[in-house]
Amino acid sequence: MREKFHEQLDRIFVDMAAICRLVETAVGQASEALMSGDAGVAESVISADVHIDLAREAVEESAFELLSLQQPVAGDLRSVVAALRMVTELERMGDLSVHVAKIARLRVPDVAVPEDIRPTVARMAHVAEDMVGRLTTIILSRDLDEASSLREDDDEMDQLRRANFTEMLSDDWTHGVEAAVDIALLGRYYERIADHAVSVANRVVFVVTGEKPNSISG
């Protein structure tokens, strides 16, 4: 009975890693649409979000089934509950990618990111996508060192966010209010993707060690 339980629990984590790959694709394509002004790519991100939603629902159903039929205790219960929190955060990361894609679509045929701001936004996009990609490995391997290292990337994201604000508030800003709103929102979306990635990684640490890292949110 316990062997079957752990097989089902492992399956849940494999399914979450698959969702993570979908989110990584969404972040990458949303960023591509943002930088290129490609409405078709933006639309593909928006329409594909339903697959992330359905995958999240499937993981939740599996987790609830384990809770009701297997009645896990102690560490096993900790893993199932953590999985329910983690899959919700993965879905939110997909939603944030959709928000990025919608800004890209809104400004077509123009590009939402002014030329002189592109380096900062492009770096934020790269850091976010890389963090999601590494999260797949963390979920599957339960690698605590890799989970901890995500916090360094989150620190870089925070620095980029501050640089983002500095650029917008500069006396040299000539792009108007509409562009400033877009850039502020984009910075917030990428920052939140990074925050969710760290939170999921922290929950993996909690599953393995039973200890809550200080930076766990929610």
Side-chain angles (χ1 to χ4, degrees), residues 20-34:
C20 204
R21 293 188 190 98
L22 293 176
V23 173
E24 182 184 6
T25 297
V27 174
Q29 290 184 342
S31 300
E32 177 188 343
L34 184 67

Side-chain angles (χ1 to χ4, degrees), residues 42-90:
E43 288 290 355
S44 69
V45 174
I46 295 166
S47 61
D49 188 56
V50 66
H51 300 301
I52 296 175
D53 295 342
L54 291 173
R56 185 265 303 166
E57 290 174 6
V59 166
E60 287 182 343
E61 288 177 6
S62 296
F64 287 132
E65 181 180 347
L66 276 183
L67 287 173
S68 62
L69 299 181
Q70 302 289 346
Q71 298 180 339
V73 295
D76 292 339
L77 178 61
R78 181 173 71 228
S79 296
V80 178
V81 172
L84 285 167
R85 300 295 296 273
M86 290 160 65
V87 75
T88 298
E89 299 210 57
L90 291 174

Side-chain angles (χ1 to χ4, degrees), residues 134 137-138 141-153 201-202 204-205 208-209:
R134 289 164 59 199
T137 302
I138 292 167
S141 68
R142 321 284 174 90
D143 187 324
L144 300 186
D145 289 335
E146 186 71 7
S148 179
S149 73
L150 274 193
R151 296 172 202 165
E152 297 175 10
D153 296 283
N202 285 341
V204 172
V205 174
V208 174
T209 67

Side-chain angles (χ1 to χ4, degrees), residues 53-198:
D53 295 342
L54 291 173
R56 185 265 303 166
E57 290 174 6
V59 166
E60 287 182 343
E61 288 177 6
S62 296
F64 287 132
E65 181 180 347
L66 276 183
L67 287 173
S68 62
L69 299 181
Q70 302 289 346
Q71 298 180 339
V73 295
D76 292 339
L77 178 61
R78 181 173 71 228
S79 296
V80 178
V81 172
L84 285 167
R85 300 295 296 273
M86 290 160 65
V87 75
T88 298
E89 299 210 57
L90 291 174
E91 183 192 29
R92 288 175 181 167
M93 292 159 74
D95 292 341
L96 289 161
S97 301
V98 169
H99 294 334
V100 172
K102 285 183 176 179
I103 288 181
R105 183 181 64 178
L106 182 64
R107 301 307 171 202
V108 171
D110 297 322
V111 176
V113 183
E115 188 65 32
D116 54 325
I117 309 300
R118 288 173 70 90
T120 302
V121 176
R123 182 59 188 170
M124 294 180 85
H126 173 78
V127 171
E129 184 178 1
D130 182 65
M131 289 178 75
V132 179
R134 289 164 59 199
L135 197 57
T136 304
T137 302
I138 292 167
I139 289 171
L140 290 174
S141 68
R142 321 284 174 90
D143 187 324
L144 300 186
D145 289 335
E146 186 71 7
S148 179
S149 73
L150 274 193
R151 296 172 202 165
E152 297 175 10
D153 296 283
D154 191 47
D155 289 341
E156 181 182 359
M157 183 66 83
D158 291 341
Q159 292 170 7
L160 289 165
R161 177 77 163 134
R162 288 191 289 271
N164 179 249
F165 271 114
T166 299
E167 290 169 333
M168 286 187 297
L169 297 175
S170 169
D171 291 337
D172 297 331
W173 183 265
T174 60
H175 307 294
V177 174
E178 185 177 85
V181 171
D182 285 346
I183 297 303
L185 288 173
L186 289 167
R188 178 58 174 164
Y189 297 153
Y190 284 123
E191 181 185 44
R192 289 302 296 149
I193 289 171
D195 288 344
H196 284 304
V198 170

